[in-house]
Amino acid sequence: MMNYTTSVIRYPREATIFAACCAIVFCVVGVIGNSVTVLALIRCPKLRVHATTAFVLSLCLSDLIFCSINLPLTAARYIYEAWILGEALCKLFPVLFYGNVAVSVLNMVAITLNRYVLISCQHYYNILFSKSAIWIQLFFIWGIAFLLMVPPLLGMWGQLGLNPSTFSCTILNKNGKSPKNMIFLVGFILPCVVIILAYSCIYYSVRKSRKKLRSHQPISDKRSGRREKDDSRLTKLMAIIFVCFLTCFFPLMLVNVFDDHEIRYPVVHVLASVMAWASSVINPFIYAASNRQYRSAYSKLFRIVKSSVVFSDSKQPSNNFRPDRNSVTYKPSVASDM
């Protein structure tokens, strides 16, 4: 049985308190923001028809799981500066953490490829992104992401457990071997390379098509022009999401690869972790700030909630007593007072 309360503290107390506060704030904001986004997208018919929306919903669900499970456990870990939640949760924590990171990256790969096929290979779009094809892709995204964690979970390649020096539940070496670097390579670096190449191809295709349009079709159909603008805005939005995700997770990847054993810079580890947690919170704000269709979906949801609240309030019984017209009111006669 592992001792989860004995630890060698490597972090300044100010850093652990800061990390715990950030985890709690991100937990509350992330659960609310991602839940609202899921409801808004599901209730918006205009966005439901986009194949991209399915992958965005999958991304929100992954962030919601992270905010509702991983972040509360992380807050407890930093508050107590020890792992006090038992062996089972210590093994579940890295599965959900690394699995959700892989799900997020693979969803972004699917979104990027969706944008690329729509812009550069439109004749394949209806085949590759039919309803059944989207469900199959989502199944593989979630399956591959969590299958990466099966070898360390079963102790076949590395193992999951507590690192006492950092009081963190993570992937540990077993017999001198660990799949951590392979998981970062397959689950993070390779997908990021694919995304960067795909967005480069998208940029080249859009630039090329615009030049053709200007030279051959000076007057274009308004409806097709509006559709192209919407697709362009959505592509830019997804590119912003990826850049923000990369910015948030890249520092954590660097410290995990280059400073994983000695922990020479503990405060840097804390800041890198906080930046990684932020990636599960910022997406709803990016959707609202960067895209008109997503803002419209949010506003429609808020109007529905507001109208339902007003309707429920109007059904409450009034405190003001209004006598019935047919009721008889007793009035004493003037003669009786004389």
Side-chain angles (χ1 to χ4, degrees), residues 19-280:
C21 292
C22 288
I24 293 168
V25 171
F26 289 166
C27 173
V28 175
V29 176
V31 167
I32 294 172
N34 287 294
S35 299
V36 169
T37 302
V38 169
L39 290 173
L41 296 184
I42 289 174
R43 295 190 65 93
C44 182
K46 192 174 180 180
L47 286 173
R48 277 206 311 265
V49 299
H50 290 292
T52 309
T53 304
F55 300 111
V56 171
L57 285 171
S58 177
L59 182 61
C60 288
L61 183 60
S62 171
D63 290 340
L64 187 59
I65 293 171
F66 182 83
C67 291
S68 58
I69 299 177
N70 280 84
L71 286 182
L73 299 179
T74 300
R77 169 198 160 207
Y78 277 109
I79 288 170
Y80 291 100
E81 294 186 335
W83 186 267
I84 61 168
L85 300 169
E87 188 174 355
L89 277 177
C90 191
K91 290 186 176 181
L92 177 65
F93 181 86
V95 171
L96 290 178
F97 180 84
Y98 291 104
N100 274 310
V101 172
V103 167
S104 298
V105 178
L106 293 176
N107 271 308
M108 290 180 198
V109 171
I111 290 170
T112 308
L113 294 178
N114 170 270
R115 299 287 91 197
Y116 174 75
V117 173
L118 179 66
I119 292 170
S120 303
C121 312
Q122 289 186 359
H123 47 286
Y124 294 115
Y125 189 83
N126 291 332
I127 299 171
L128 294 175
F129 293 98
S130 63
K131 284 186 179 180
S132 58
I134 290 171
W135 279 109
I136 292 170
Q137 291 173 48
L138 289 173
F139 176 79
F140 275 103
I141 285 170
W142 285 80
I144 291 171
F146 285 97
L147 279 174
L148 289 172
M149 296 304 298
V150 170
L153 179 63
L154 299 179
M156 299 181 334
W157 186 10
Q159 60 184 346
L160 303 181
L162 179 72
N163 183 353
S165 63
T166 59
F167 49 91
S168 63
C169 294
T170 184
I171 302 171
L172 305 174
N173 288 342
K174 185 178 181 182
N175 300 325
K177 297 179 180 179
S178 171
K180 198 177 223 182
N181 290 336
M182 187 278 294
I183 289 173
F184 273 112
L185 179 67
V186 176
F188 188 85
I189 296 176
L190 286 180
C192 287
V193 170
V194 171
I195 291 171
I196 291 169
L197 289 175
Y199 273 120
S200 301
C201 293
I202 289 170
Y203 175 76
Y204 176 76
S205 298
V206 169
R207 193 174 177 182
K208 190 177 179 182
S209 63
R210 280 179 180 171
K211 283 183 179 178
K212 279 186 179 179
L213 255 150
R214 286 171 187 169
S215 59
H216 295 93
Q217 297 177 358
I219 302 172
S220 59
D221 183 25
K222 287 185 178 180
R223 186 176 297 177
S224 63
R226 191 180 298 120
R227 189 181 305 153
E228 283 181 7
K229 283 184 179 179
D230 289 340
D231 288 335
S232 178
R233 288 194 193 104
L234 193 56
T235 302
K236 287 179 182 176
L237 170 62
M238 296 308 147
I240 292 170
I241 293 290
F242 168 68
V243 170
C244 291
F245 178 87
L246 194 62
T247 304
C248 289
F249 263 97
F250 196 66
L252 184 64
M253 188 201 73
L254 289 178
V255 297
N256 274 328
V257 171
F258 297 109
D259 192 32
D260 189 38
H261 299 293
E262 297 179 7
I263 315 293
R264 290 167 294 180
Y265 310 103
V267 176
V268 175
H269 277 260
V270 171
L271 294 176
S273 296
V274 171
M275 286 185 66
W277 307 338
S279 69
S280 62

